[in-house]
Amino acid sequence: MEVLRVAVVGAGPGGLVTLKTLLEASTPERPIEARLFEAEEDIGGTFQYRSYENAELVSSKQLTAFSDFRFPLDQPDHISLPQYVDYLKSYVDRFDLAPFIKLRCPVVNISPLESSSQKWKHRVKYIDNSSGEERNFDCSHVAICTGLHVQANIPSIKGIENIHGDVFHSSNYKTRSQLTGRKILILGCGETAMDIAYEAMKANAISVTMCYRTGFLSFPKALSRFQVFGRQFKGGLPIDGLITNLFETAYVHRAIAQSRLRWFVSDFVIKRVLWFLTGTQAGMNQHVGALPPERLGRAYVFLNKSNKAMPYLNRPYKTNNAFLDFIGNKYVDPPEDANSDKWVDTCTFPVCIDETGTVIFEPRPDRKDWQRMKDKAVKPDCVVYCTGYKQDFAWLDPSYPTASSANIRNIVNASCPSVAYIGFVRPGVGAIPPIAEQQAMWWAALILNRMTLPTGPPHYHLLASKGSRIQYGVDHSAYMSTLAKDFGGAPGLLTLYRRHGWRVLLAYCFGASFVTFYRLVGPFESPEAPRIAVTELAETIMRRGKIGNLLFGVIPMLFYGLLNAIAYMLDFIGLLPEEKSVVQIVEFRHMRDEIMHSDTLVK
């Protein structure tokens, strides 16, 4: 009998769901012993320790919840961060995880055990919370779940010391009082930056300027507040639940997946719909901060779903569209924001800050906000870095691969599958916690020999230039489906009908990539999954209404179904080339890089 002993590092949602998945996957034939190590005094990770006043999840409760532990049906679609931390604590209680969690036990080093006579492969050194002494936990496997949002990323800005006031990273922002009566400079344009810009407006800041290099794609986290042909739509449908499964996620031919054709087609349609509803294609009611055309779309960027500040960013630039006014189409801002006379300035990223504390912005004549701000003196007394986070594994022996070199499904490196990185991808639209659960199931199946290391190439990465800081973006639906296919959790349509009936089948076809769907069949089949599918998830689908399901469900299914059918036919008659494996692709890239960096290039 082989015993697997696993160290899980980090007690955020990724670590908790990994611990629970491993414990449930344990069998008498292959028992799993797992311990979770957390440096902080409580669970919750970023949601607990980098939270701030009025912060809410931008992903819906339906998508964010774990597969078999759901939020109450009467709870709002989008919850606050303290409510989410309470959910995680309830999760620990529900599955009795506390005995396996060691709080206030920071990991200081993980290194390989070299001796071949050793039973275990890895040594985890940690500080014991009771004695303060360094102790060892020797194990066969390690799951690193420390998360993407821990160590602040602070770019260097020449002259930042000339600011007369406070300079801090957004991880140190907690309450509105930090912004009251201040002249605020926000560096970055992500969801936290948008939150802080809005909070600054409500805190009566003297001025607010948001700086960014390229731009952003703004969308509300829930579809609402539209007036179409003079009729008001007051729904609240979460945007991350709109993409359907059939033929866009499930039953997609490899050639269609590889081309990202689905993404480009949906971008084309969405841009026209956006203009028809709000008079701009840059984003939903977004009249400033547009991304360059070659990067505007689902294939390239993370949606910015914190849009509360948009009325204030739009104010200097938004104009009436005579045609849309005539037919009665418009986006309706909340009255308290629409009637305000305040605004948030935007501009390019600072080149430097001079000795007087004045910000010198990068000249960009192509940007209308720089044209507006180029002759204005901006002298902030509060600078907030909303510039994201970076990953640091200083406590990990250099011989180990890190998250950036996890070349198999962004979870493990082919050379070291006993070390997994859970929760180190970021979806364009979606949520990391359910992805972490899917990754945990994938890795559990791998280490229990229920699946082999997959060799099929990935088609789920967002497209990013080589120099981009974030290279770990994924399409939520494509990634979830890929992992499920690997470990045998992707349900076949006929199997679904035979096992669970037509209601579950329809919920799966018309639903988004909810993690519960991948526990309807396969090695992690849950008795709770069919009930959740026909209640909570079916209710989310029905809230779209007949027109919504026609537009977001039936029409895309017919269109993508036809494309996939053509691809399968061409493949059947041999007109499509075979696809390279992951190993072949990695070997090719390694050979290419060696050639490109060689001193003797062949000419």
Side-chain angles (χ1 to χ4, degrees), residues 227-305:
Q227 183 174 300
V228 184
F229 296 120
R231 298 184 62 182
Q232 182 79 30
F233 172 71
K234 298 180 180 179
L237 186 65
I239 195 169
D240 56 24
L242 289 181
I243 297 173
T244 53
N245 269 323
L246 188 58
F247 300 137
E248 189 163 0
T249 296
Y251 291 93
V252 178
H253 189 273
R254 58 179 174 80
I256 301 297
Q258 183 178 13
S259 69
R260 271 72 167 186
L261 181 63
R262 301 160 294 158
W263 302 357
F264 296 123
V265 170
S266 63
D267 287 345
F268 178 85
V269 174
I270 288 170
K271 286 176 183 177
R272 275 70 190 168
V273 172
L274 286 177
W275 183 89
F276 185 68
L277 293 176
T278 67
T280 172
Q281 297 185 36
M284 182 67 72
N285 194 40
Q286 179 184 344
H287 297 268
V288 68
L291 284 159
E294 65 273 12
R295 286 194 60 232
L296 181 58
R298 176 180 168 188
Y300 305 98
V301 298
F302 310 99
L303 289 193
N304 188 325
K305 299 185 292 298

Side-chain angles (χ1 to χ4, degrees), residues 10-21:
L16 296 176
V17 76
T18 299
L19 176 65
K20 182 257 190 186
T21 301

Side-chain angles (χ1 to χ4, degrees), residues 5-36:
R5 180 182 288 176
V6 186
V8 181
V9 185
L16 296 176
V17 76
T18 299
L19 176 65
K20 182 257 190 186
T21 301
L22 292 170
L23 294 174
E24 283 193 348
S26 178
T27 64
E29 297 76 24
R30 301 203 74 187
I32 297 177
E33 299 175 3
R35 290 292 181 275
L36 187 153

Side-chain angles (χ1 to χ4, degrees), residues 371-401:
Q371 292 283 2
R372 180 175 178 271
M373 296 291 292
K374 64 181 180 179
D375 297 322
K376 294 186 178 181
V378 176
K379 297 179 66 174
D381 58 17
C382 180
V383 177
V384 188
Y385 284 94
C386 296
T387 45
Y389 296 82
K390 58 185 179 181
Q391 283 67 62
D392 181 15
F393 303 101
W395 38 269
L396 192 65
D397 188 90
S399 63
Y400 287 113

Side-chain angles (χ1 to χ4, degrees), residues 6-20 22-23 33-40 42-44 92 97-107 124 126 137 143 145:
V6 186
V8 181
V9 185
L16 296 176
V17 76
T18 299
L19 176 65
K20 182 257 190 186
L22 292 170
L23 294 174
E33 299 175 3
R35 290 292 181 275
L36 187 153
F37 300 90
E38 169 57 51
E40 300 286 0
D42 203 353
I43 69 164
V92 170
L97 302 180
F100 306 95
I101 299 174
K102 297 180 75 67
L103 297 173
R104 301 188 305 282
C105 291
V107 170
V124 177
Y126 66 95
F137 181 83
C145 310

Side-chain angles (χ1 to χ4, degrees), residues 69 81-91:
F69 188 72
L81 265 59
Q83 287 175 315
Y84 185 64
V85 173
D86 288 342
Y87 164 83
L88 294 177
K89 292 179 178 178
S90 299
Y91 185 76

Side-chain angles (χ1 to χ4, degrees), residues 388-567:
Y389 296 82
K390 58 185 179 181
Q391 283 67 62
D392 181 15
F393 303 101
W395 38 269
L396 192 65
D397 188 90
S399 63
Y400 287 113
T402 61
S404 61
S405 56
N407 57 10
I408 306 295
R409 304 300 190 245
N410 291 79
I411 302 174
V412 301
N413 185 283
S415 66
C416 189
S418 62
V419 176
Y421 289 88
I422 307 293
F424 285 88
V425 297
R426 181 179 168 187
V429 185
I432 295 176
I435 286 179
E437 181 175 10
Q438 193 89 324
Q439 291 176 319
M441 291 190 285
W442 185 96
W443 191 57
L446 181 68
I447 65 177
L448 289 170
N449 295 327
R450 296 177 182 173
M451 59 174 267
T452 58
L453 204 64
T455 59
H459 300 313
Y460 49 74
H461 285 118
L462 300 183
L463 304 180
S465 62
K466 190 174 182 179
S468 296
R469 183 174 66 87
I470 297 179
Q471 297 286 334
Y472 44 80
V474 299
D475 179 82
H476 182 103
S477 301
Y479 188 62
M480 296 286 277
S481 179
T482 300
L483 298 187
K485 290 172 185 174
D486 288 343
F487 66 71
L493 301 184
L494 187 58
T495 301
L496 271 186
Y497 176 73
R498 287 173 174 172
R499 290 177 64 87
H500 301 300
W502 65 269
R503 293 177 64 198
V504 169
L505 174 62
L506 286 178
Y508 174 73
C509 291
F510 279 83
S513 293
F514 301 113
V515 66
T516 304
F517 287 151
Y518 305 110
R519 299 195 64 187
L520 289 166
V521 299
F524 301 98
E525 184 174 350
S526 167
E528 288 293 300
R531 179 190 62 80
I532 295 169
V534 299
T535 54
E536 175 193 349
L537 302 184
E539 186 272 339
T540 303
I541 296 165
M542 295 306 295
R543 281 166 57 187
R544 299 174 190 160
K546 294 179 180 179
I547 295 178
N549 275 306
L550 176 66
L551 296 177
F552 297 115
V554 175
I555 293 176
M557 285 180 195
L558 292 174
F559 177 76
Y560 293 125
L562 177 62
L563 290 180
N564 281 289
I566 294 172

